[in-house]
Amino acid sequence: MKTFKQGRYSGFIKPISYLFDLIVIIGAVFLFEINLSDLSLFFIYISLSWFIVAFYNEFYEVQRNTRIVQIVTLLLKQTILFAVGLYAFIGFFKQPHLSRLNLGNYLIVVFVTVSFLKFLTFFLLNKYRSALGGNFRSVVVIGKNDKTRQLIQTFNSRLDFGYKFKKQFSVKEDNFSLNECFNFIIENDIDEIFFSVAELSNKQINYLIDFADNNLRELRFIPDNKEIFSKKLKYEYYDYIPVLSLRTIPLQERINKIAKRLFDILFSLFIIVCLLSWLTPILALLIRLESKGPIFFKQSRNGFNYKEFDCFKFRSMMPNANAHLHQATKGDSRITKVGAFIRKTSIDELPQFFNVLFGDMSVVGPRPHMVSHTNMYARKVDKFMVRHFVKPGITGLAQVSGFRGEIETDKDIINRVKYDIFYIENWSLLLDIKIVVQTFLNAIKGEKKAY
């Protein structure tokens, strides 16, 4: 297969993207009668606004391993912040006659066109790498374990990433030498070095860093995360002292809090008005016909910052004293016939949308456990308490990834915590929507552990 020299034109990709986006945001103005009193001032304002927002948003920092969901998130954030700045122009420069409607139409055209160009560039580059072998970067891997094996498999299978795996060096072999690695890297013009932190000593790591710095090679760390499930490290300077924080939590940012809360309110109101308003009387009748007792069941659970709250459900069991202590199991005799159906379809969880409306829960988040189970898992499972950095959810990433329902083994709760921490550290509104859609599809199909 014919290959092309890496990096020959890659430096032009960002400037060309800047230019095309600038043409779009200026050219789209001529499509609508916005009633501008000073066209030149408006052009300068929107150009500066766009690129200031883009710089803040890191809008043009799309890498070869960037996921589509991340690009969609970037586009939404860029458009929303640009829209705020755009409408601020009316008051800031006193433009009372400016057409708000046409300004909105202008925004839609900009969003659609820029999105099209961004995805077109992304897919063409991926195709260029996978089909023609261009825009590639040659890599070596130092270390031999499960993580390095998975990484090499990714290099070989995801040709659209544009990485050409050249060689793996096993640190555990008796004849291993970093100098031999360095000679291979220089002789074969290797661009990036990936190494397992767990397999090298501090002295070897410093030696490797010095080599990479002195020879202009990019160095990538592969963490040993057998114990640390997920780390999204935050790098900061205190004066001139570098400090690493273990994780950044997107939902601690005010704009993200507002966006998620707005989504929660609108979605919960929609479910309450359009579904629960007529479904509740029907279920109430069916539940009471089969067994005496309350229609709703409430249970104390731990939420945000470990605070207890009453979690609501439609009652699916015969009234019993152990409901607050023991989780439902397969073939549980406490579950009624109506209860079996509403648990299988997750209808029993619908009253929790009132919890969402009241602010105790979110539509998406780590599932809350019974207080007795929370206390047990907090002592037993490492990083379990991290789940309480955000509000608990009606559904979550762990649930749509196969870890819902009864916890039969330690592996179940460990994997649930793993997915919950990933969600907390990588939250986006688009991820919430994806989880909601997947939850709906799973409810229709029925789930193995929904009992």
Side-chain angles (χ1 to χ4, degrees), residues 317-318 329-336:
M317 294 182 176
M318 300 289 289
T329 58
K330 192 170 185 179
D332 199 315
S333 59
R334 297 174 298 168
I335 299 175
T336 62

Side-chain angles (χ1 to χ4, degrees), residues 104-299:
N105 293 332
Y106 162 79
L107 264 173
I108 294 171
V109 169
V110 167
F111 172 72
V112 171
T113 310
V114 169
S115 298
F116 172 77
L117 290 174
K118 202 163 189 71
F119 279 113
L120 181 65
T121 304
F122 181 74
F123 287 119
L124 285 178
L125 279 172
N126 283 353
K127 196 69 176 176
Y128 177 54
R129 296 181 193 119
S130 60
L132 300 177
N135 190 232
F136 69 86
R137 296 183 71 77
S138 55
V139 301
V140 295
V141 175
I142 301 175
K144 195 170 186 179
N145 52 49
D146 286 342
K147 292 297 175 189
T148 57
R149 179 183 55 78
Q150 291 167 11
L151 183 65
I152 292 168
Q153 186 178 353
T154 299
F155 289 152
N156 292 331
S157 61
R158 293 297 302 271
L159 299 179
D160 54 306
F161 281 179
Y163 287 107
K164 291 212 169 185
F165 170 67
K166 294 294 185 178
K167 189 172 182 178
Q168 181 180 26
F169 297 92
S170 177
V171 178
K172 297 173 184 176
E173 292 180 359
D174 293 335
N175 60 348
F176 171 76
S177 168
L178 274 177
N179 287 322
E180 287 186 15
C181 299
F182 298 160
N183 291 335
F184 182 89
I185 289 165
I186 292 171
E187 289 169 6
N188 292 273
D189 197 22
I190 301 299
D191 299 298
E192 297 186 21
I193 307 163
F194 292 77
F195 78 95
S196 174
V197 176
E199 296 194 19
L200 296 179
S201 66
N202 287 341
K203 185 177 179 180
Q204 288 175 314
I205 291 173
N206 287 330
Y207 191 28
L208 182 56
I209 291 171
D210 289 342
F211 168 80
D213 288 343
N214 293 328
N215 291 274
L216 298 178
R217 314 291 171 172
E218 290 191 33
L219 195 59
R220 309 285 188 185
F221 295 68
I222 306 170
D224 174 23
N225 60 352
K226 288 180 289 186
E227 299 298 330
I228 302 173
F229 295 131
S230 175
K231 293 296 173 194
K232 192 172 182 181
L233 299 179
K234 182 181 180 182
Y235 196 80
E236 300 172 298
Y237 275 97
Y238 286 72
D239 199 2
Y240 294 102
I241 308 299
V243 176
L244 286 175
S245 301
L246 284 180
R247 60 177 50 84
T248 56
I249 299 177
L251 283 172
Q252 288 180 344
E253 295 181 18
R254 184 173 294 275
I255 189 169
N256 291 338
K257 279 183 182 178
I258 294 171
K260 186 169 177 65
R261 183 61 185 145
L262 186 62
F263 173 76
D264 284 344
I265 292 171
L266 293 176
F267 194 84
S268 58
L269 281 174
F270 173 78
I271 296 296
I272 290 167
V273 173
C274 298
L275 187 60
L276 284 173
S277 59
W278 59 267
L279 184 62
T280 300
I282 297 172
L283 286 176
L285 180 63
L286 294 174
I287 291 169
R288 289 300 297 272
L289 283 174
E290 185 174 7
S291 64
K292 292 182 179 180
I295 305 304
F296 297 100
F297 170 74
K298 69 177 182 178
Q299 189 175 66

Side-chain angles (χ1 to χ4, degrees), residues 296-304 306-313 324 349 351-361 367-371 392:
F296 297 100
F297 170 74
K298 69 177 182 178
Q299 189 175 66
S300 290
R301 301 202 174 186
N302 296 106
F304 179 62
Y306 205 55
K307 181 181 176 183
E308 288 188 23
F309 70 97
D310 288 328
C311 181
F312 299 110
K313 284 187 173 188
H324 299 285
E349 310 279 1
Q352 288 166 35
F353 282 102
F354 286 103
N355 286 118
V356 174
L357 194 61
F358 299 155
D360 293 321
M361 293 181 66
R367 281 294 295 161
H369 292 273
M370 291 184 287
V371 173

Side-chain angles (χ1 to χ4, degrees), residues 16-130:
I16 290 173
S17 297
Y18 299 154
L19 179 62
F20 276 124
D21 288 350
L22 188 62
I23 291 171
V24 170
I25 63 175
I26 290 177
V29 174
F30 296 100
L31 299 177
F32 306 98
E33 293 185 8
I34 303 178
N35 297 330
L36 293 163
S37 58
D38 191 333
L39 198 60
S40 300
L41 175 65
F42 187 68
F43 285 161
I44 294 170
Y45 180 84
I46 60 174
S47 300
L48 287 174
S49 297
W50 178 268
F51 288 110
I52 288 171
V53 170
F55 177 78
Y56 167 78
N57 194 28
E58 297 184 340
F59 184 65
Y60 295 100
E61 299 302 318
V62 176
Q63 309 301 328
R64 59 185 68 221
N65 59 333
T66 300
R67 293 172 295 163
I68 291 177
V69 67
Q70 292 173 300
I71 296 176
V72 174
T73 302
L74 280 175
L75 284 164
L76 291 173
K77 286 177 69 176
Q78 179 73 14
T79 306
I80 291 169
L81 293 174
F82 180 62
V84 171
L86 194 61
Y87 277 93
F89 177 84
I90 299 172
F92 193 74
F93 291 101
K94 296 180 174 58
Q95 301 280 320
H97 303 297
L98 193 146
S99 172
R100 275 78 166 170
L101 178 61
N102 283 337
L103 201 62
N105 293 332
Y106 162 79
L107 264 173
I108 294 171
V109 169
V110 167
F111 172 72
V112 171
T113 310
V114 169
S115 298
F116 172 77
L117 290 174
K118 202 163 189 71
F119 279 113
L120 181 65
T121 304
F122 181 74
F123 287 119
L124 285 178
L125 279 172
N126 283 353
K127 196 69 176 176
Y128 177 54
R129 296 181 193 119
S130 60

